[in-house]
Amino acid sequence: MSNFPDFSSHGYQVIRELARNREAGRITYLAINLNLDQKVTIKEFRFASEGTSWSGFKAYQREIELLQQLDHPRIPRYFNSFETPLGFCLVQEYKNAPSLAERRSFTPEEIRTIAISVLEILVYLQKRTPPVIHRDIKPENILVDEQLNAYLVDFGLARIGGEQMALSSVAAGTPGFMPPEEQFGRPLSEASDLYSLGATLMCLVTGTRSVNIGTLINDEYRFNVEPLVPQLSSLFVVWLAKMVEPNVKKRFANAEQALFVLINSNKWETSKQQKGVALKVLLLLLYGLIWVSVPGLTVHLMQSFVEYSMNELTSNQINNTRRNYHQTYRAPQTNYRNRDVKWNATDWFNRGEYLFRRRYYSQALSAYNAAININPNYYNALVSRCATFNQILKYEKALVDCNKAIEISPNSRNTRVWVIRGHVFAGMGQYEESIASYDRAIAINPNNSHAWGGRCNTLNFLRKYEQALPNCEKALQIRPQLHSAWHNKGVALEGLGRNEEALNSYDQALRFQPHYSRSIVNHQRLRQKLGITSTDNFNLDKPANNNNFDSCLTRIPPPLPANSNKNYTRIPNTPRLLCPLNNTVFHHYPRETTLAWEDVLGAKSYTVEIDFYMPDLGWCSEQDKCKYAIVRNITTNRYTFNFVGGQPGRWRVWAVNSEGKESLKTNWWEFRYTK
């Protein structure tokens, strides 16, 4: 029996607890939106618990008003809020990224990338009218994924201009990260958040935990940056010192200025077109090294450096620099990294496809917009933008794009637009129109499994389970590995009262997609309904062991036909990792390990990268002279090896086609042994 609160009446089911703040009466959960099959974060504020009161309820309502105004891809979106017997719940977008408070090591260049990513968010907040000041930037409130994209969370202390917002923490800010002007009750400015970000970066650079940040501050209440000189570039050290300058007037004025200087720091050192800048920077760096003993001198030099750089570069050069930065650090393929290439509509479309596959829907939308701005009749871009709008639940806009694509090419044999249009109508509750769109796709291609599966799903919404069931079976006849069709078949069977068969269908869905949240929820609920109490092998939160790992291997989908990849020249899809599940714990010795992944279209072979952790140095792959395994030319979707190395280990895979083109690499999945 779960000890988690029951939010099913509000359309949510809790998966696990993410964090707990006892003093503030706040618990954060990972949950599932039962209606949309979407993971969300639920913050429960327990005003009725001991030591808390309802006095802050109106303040939380004002915080919601702020979140509703924010629209940035790296600020979790506000979805919903509701009251509970104990207090109040806030529902936001879930970002699958750990906080910087977790023990992770980053290279100096990675820290610089994280800093840029956070500054981009702050620029957005400070460009608003009036500007938004976060007031509680610290490692715990910055999430960073494996691509080093940063996400800013917890706006409970935010201020809009001079107006104070909600207090969802115990005190206003966190000691050590609060700028001096806030500690002494002085007016805050756009530079205030920069101090907190600088303090956070100091923790990353030195590997210091938040609770020990006081060890980085000297007797003069300044951060001691002198030990950083050997491991970081001199300019970055000086930049960081300006971020944590106690005197607000000597800090960067705002995030845009700090971002601009940081982005261009490397460029200015080596620019052939700005030799005068390079010379002056070199001199500044020299004096910057002297600053270690003379802080006042560096403050003056850094101010001169910022003033010179901001005055010397024209607005056109600034815009070019920003464009080049995004092409260099955010482009999906290496051929986009050429700074002299001007992107055309196809380039933007390809970037959108890359981002869509990675589920970065807001960024994908921007890329598709750019493609359509260049070519308003770009059929594929309109279809993909329709799919993106559908994913973010903007159905009306999605329908406009799908209809325009159909208008541009009414006789197209491309069934994708009709399938997506069917999904859109289903999301809008217009089920008859949804079925008509699926029927059009089936008329063009009777073997479109997604159209049959979508038709089944829509009939389930109408509770026409007897009609839905043959549609799901047709989809599975065409594509036996389609997990969504197995799930929808389970829904239809459950609606007909055939619970044991429904449970088997959910089980089949999880065989092909172990992390399919809709099936996990239905599978667990139906097991409880049937009184089945045995351990569920598909529990997302429980680390796998040897037994369920063996059963996992028996459920690997069969490989694709041998001729399916013949003459396939496009970049192959990214494989999906299957076994062992992330954070698997093995109990056997010797450490023979089998890795398995889904066979993907276009893959002639696969490359597996196996890494191990060294307690004193970190991950082997991140060290210069450490040998770790990269195994190439694997022609099956399995690889067995004897693991030798420090604990834990991790692995990832990518596909290679017949021309040597590589897919994107999967995320790392970790495993460990008890023997």
Side-chain angles (χ1 to χ4, degrees), residues 485-543:
W486 280 111
H487 172 84
N488 291 328
K489 181 180 179 180
V491 173
L493 289 167
E494 190 175 357
L496 294 171
R498 297 157 61 177
N499 291 335
E500 289 80 7
E501 295 175 72
L503 185 64
N504 181 65
S505 289
Y506 295 139
D507 184 77
Q508 292 291 334
L510 292 170
R511 289 177 187 273
F512 296 114
Q513 175 55 283
H515 290 264
Y516 191 48
S517 56
R518 294 173 63 188
S519 293
I520 291 171
V521 171
N522 287 11
H523 189 273
Q524 294 176 346
R525 174 180 49 75
L526 196 53
R527 288 172 70 92
Q528 293 177 359
K529 182 177 180 179
L530 295 174
I532 301 174
T533 58
S534 60
T535 303
D536 184 359
N537 289 339
F538 300 104
N539 190 334
L540 282 174
D541 308 306
K542 181 177 180 180

Side-chain angles (χ1 to χ4, degrees), residues 242-257:
K242 189 170 180 67
M243 290 284 286
V244 294
E245 167 59 48
N247 188 336
V248 64
K249 295 181 180 180
K250 296 180 180 179
R251 250 177 262 150
F252 291 108
N254 50 48
E256 185 175 31
Q257 191 181 88

